[in-house]
Amino acid sequence: MPALVNYRGDDDYHTGGSLCSKDSTRLLSVYSPPCKRQRISDSYILFFEQEKKPSIEILPDEILYEIFRRLPCGQARSASACVSTRWLTVLSNVRASEMVHGSSNDTEMVQENDGFLTRCLDGKKATDCRLQSVAVGTSARGGLGKLSVRGSNKVTKLGFTAIARGCPSLKVLSLWNVPSIGDESLIEISKECRLLEKLDLSHCHSVSNKGIAAIAQNCPNLSSLTIESCKNIGNESLEAVARCCPNLESITIKDCPNVGDQGIATLLSTLSLVLKKVKLQSLNITDFSLAVIGHYGKSITNLSLTGLQIASQKGFWAMGNAKGLQSLTSLSVVSCYGITDLSLEAIGNGCGFLKQMLVKKCCFVSDRGLVSFTEAAKSLECLQLEECNRISEQGILGALKSNLKSLTIVKCMGIKDSAQETSVLTQCVSLRSLSIKDCIGFGNTILAIFGSLCPQLQSLELSGLCGITDSGLSPLLENCEAGLVKVNISNCLNLTDKVVVDLARIHGGTLEILNLEGGRRITDESLVAIADNCLLLNDLDVSKCCITDNGLSCLSEGVQINLQILSVSGCSKISNKSVPFFKKLGQTLVGLNIQQCNLISSSAVDSLVENLWRCDILY
């Protein structure tokens, strides 16, 4: 042992033979498995592995670009794009016009660019990689015609450059809440997608006048433009659109603080002969813009004005008295303080062909203005009043002197259930549709007056009216001579089976749609009457009513031949016993709602889903 410890390796060494002798080999084999002698060097193995690597991967992007643009068909391009992200990126940069095709593919290319396809990418699904894939894949399948991107911060210029270069057939582009998209992306679109007809931008805060101007200059076919909540878009954009888009028919501008009178006036005056639909909401425009609309809006058919807080009575009065809105057929005015009795009457006098009118949250309109407007607007057919609390039952009844076909009243708290002198009122034989919703003062007295004045009603909606009872509604049902087709008496808590029985008896031969939702006093007796009388019924809603399995049993044996939609949602007394009745009704059903029917088990639901395979079941 001392000799071994003191050994330095410089004087004694082994001379008995190789370490790989038979003895040493036998010794090593005890501690490790036998190994074959290596015959190929490491350098040769490395060279062999390099030889196995596909040679095309070492080519630069420029060479791949030239190869890819010569691929024979769209299927080959799509397959190549699936190889790697690099190949997808290179392929997405190849413009459709740069593709080299042989004579056998000429017909295919004509079909590829027609723009038949629609793609919608929402949230996390909207990425640059997905847009590149869309650009490559759609070219061989009809061409991309419509693209919508919503709610994504992962889309950049890279993805839209691919869309621009690969989809020259793009005609409709919608961007909603895409903060990373700016002017550069729109400039790329404008350069390549010159067939663009419709652009919709909402909450795109990085887009400014520069991007809109590029679209206007390069896309002469633009016919519809929507700009909503884009804080960097102002008057310059509208001026560029007015100058370069002679085919613009529809414009919507909402909540853009930099848009003012200059942009609106330029747009309306320049495109006065082509603009048909105009919607302005929450803009800092004054009476001047309204006067321009009234003077130059010769071709406008649909006009919507919402939340114009600066515009006064003078502006709306000038818009009507200018008498330029001779083509206007539909007008919507919401939350505009400038709408008063005087300005409303001026609009009625100035818009001779107005057929549809919506007045909502205009607190200065009273009975006098309403009656004057309906007398002046000779062509008016549809009138909708919402949350106009200075309008009472006298104004409503006075409006019936006109030739209205449809009247809708929603949340007008000024209406009271008071008696009126009916001798001075005339029948409105033209009225076909009456809708009263959530007017807490509406009751039996005023309802009876409507019944005597409107004998030709075909559509009746009385929703959320706790003041009406059977005694008030039954006379109206008796006086409807034409036959009711659509009836909605949902959430009228004081109506009972009696009124449903009368309805089925009187109008069962014409009734097609019936909504009894929320009728806590509606029971199986109503279903029996419906089953016996309503032959043409195709839509029935008895959600949250007190019906049971027995009522559904009677309904399944009824005379109706085409019941397509049935809702019993929230009917707590419906159980598994109704499953056979649902199956029998399922011969014609295409929609069934059994949500919140807690006595129907999951196994019963599975049985319904299996048997009613043509029916869309909500459970």
Side-chain angles (χ1 to χ4, degrees), residues 315-550:
F316 284 95
W317 180 86
M319 185 180 77
N321 275 344
K323 299 186 183 300
L325 296 172
Q326 293 303 312
S327 300
L328 188 66
T329 58
S330 177
L331 174 61
S332 175
V333 184
V334 181
S335 299
C336 294
Y337 297 144
I339 287 291
T340 63
D341 292 343
L342 180 63
S343 58
L344 190 60
E345 182 180 1
I347 291 173
N349 286 319
C351 304
F353 295 95
L354 186 64
K355 294 183 178 181
Q356 300 177 358
M357 180 68 176
L358 166 63
V359 182
K360 181 178 180 179
K361 295 183 178 180
C362 295
C363 55
F364 296 115
V365 176
S366 67
D367 293 338
R368 176 182 171 275
L370 176 61
V371 174
S372 299
F373 169 75
T374 54
E375 291 177 350
K378 303 297 184 181
S379 301
L380 189 65
E381 296 179 355
C382 302
L383 176 61
Q384 184 171 345
L385 305 172
E386 296 188 24
E387 300 181 56
C388 298
N389 296 327
R390 294 186 65 185
I391 293 177
S392 69
E393 66 280 359
Q394 294 179 356
I396 299 298
L397 295 175
L400 293 179
K401 296 179 182 179
S402 61
N403 295 319
L404 285 176
K405 293 183 179 180
S406 174
L407 176 62
T408 300
I409 307 170
V410 181
K411 295 182 179 179
C412 292
M413 302 308 173
I415 297 178
K416 306 299 181 183
D417 194 38
S418 58
Q420 302 291 321
E421 181 59 45
T422 57
S423 60
V424 298
L425 300 175
T426 58
Q427 281 193 338
C428 185
V429 295
S430 61
L431 195 68
R432 297 292 186 270
S433 175
L434 175 63
S435 178
I436 313 292
K437 304 178 185 177
D438 301 317
C439 297
I440 58 177
F442 196 93
N444 289 338
T445 304
I446 188 69
L447 184 60
I449 297 175
F450 272 106
S452 63
L453 297 179
C454 309
Q456 300 298 320
L457 284 178
Q458 295 179 346
S459 175
L460 176 64
E461 181 174 5
L462 305 173
S463 178
L465 305 180
C466 298
I468 64 173
T469 62
D470 297 344
S471 60
L473 183 55
S474 293
L476 185 145
L477 299 179
E478 295 283 353
N479 292 331
C480 289
E481 302 172 358
L484 290 171
V485 177
K486 177 181 178 182
V487 175
N488 180 354
I489 50 176
S490 60
N491 298 308
C492 294
L493 304 182
N494 293 316
L495 295 180
T496 69
D497 290 324
K498 180 182 182 304
V499 76
V500 180
V501 172
D502 291 343
L503 174 65
R505 175 178 55 83
I506 301 171
H507 301 284
T510 58
L511 192 63
E512 297 179 5
I513 300 175
L514 178 59
N515 188 344
L516 304 173
E517 180 182 2
R520 61 186 182 184
R521 302 175 69 178
I522 303 297
T523 67
D524 292 340
E525 184 180 352
S526 294
L527 287 186
V528 172
I530 292 170
D532 292 340
N533 297 281
C534 300
L535 177 67
L536 302 178
L537 191 68
N538 59 57
D539 189 335
L540 176 61
D541 190 344
V542 288
S543 301
K544 300 178 183 178
C545 294
C546 293
I547 63 172
T548 67
D549 298 327
N550 293 331

Side-chain angles (χ1 to χ4, degrees), residues 185-241:
S185 298
L186 288 188
I187 291 173
E188 287 292 330
I189 293 291
S190 70
K191 290 179 179 178
E192 306 291 343
C193 305
R194 296 179 179 269
L195 300 178
L196 191 68
E197 297 177 359
K198 182 178 180 180
L199 177 64
D200 187 347
L201 301 178
S202 178
H203 296 84
C204 296
H205 302 302
S206 299
V207 177
S208 69
N209 295 324
K210 185 178 179 181
I212 299 297
I215 292 289
Q217 293 170 3
N218 296 318
C219 303
N221 293 333
L222 191 69
S223 60
S224 177
L225 176 62
T226 298
I227 305 173
E228 178 180 348
S229 300
C230 297
K231 61 183 181 180
N232 292 319
I233 294 178
N235 293 327
E236 295 179 11
S237 296
L238 300 187
E239 291 172 349
V241 170

Side-chain angles (χ1 to χ4, degrees), residues 25 302 574:
T25 301
N302 296 74
I574 301 261

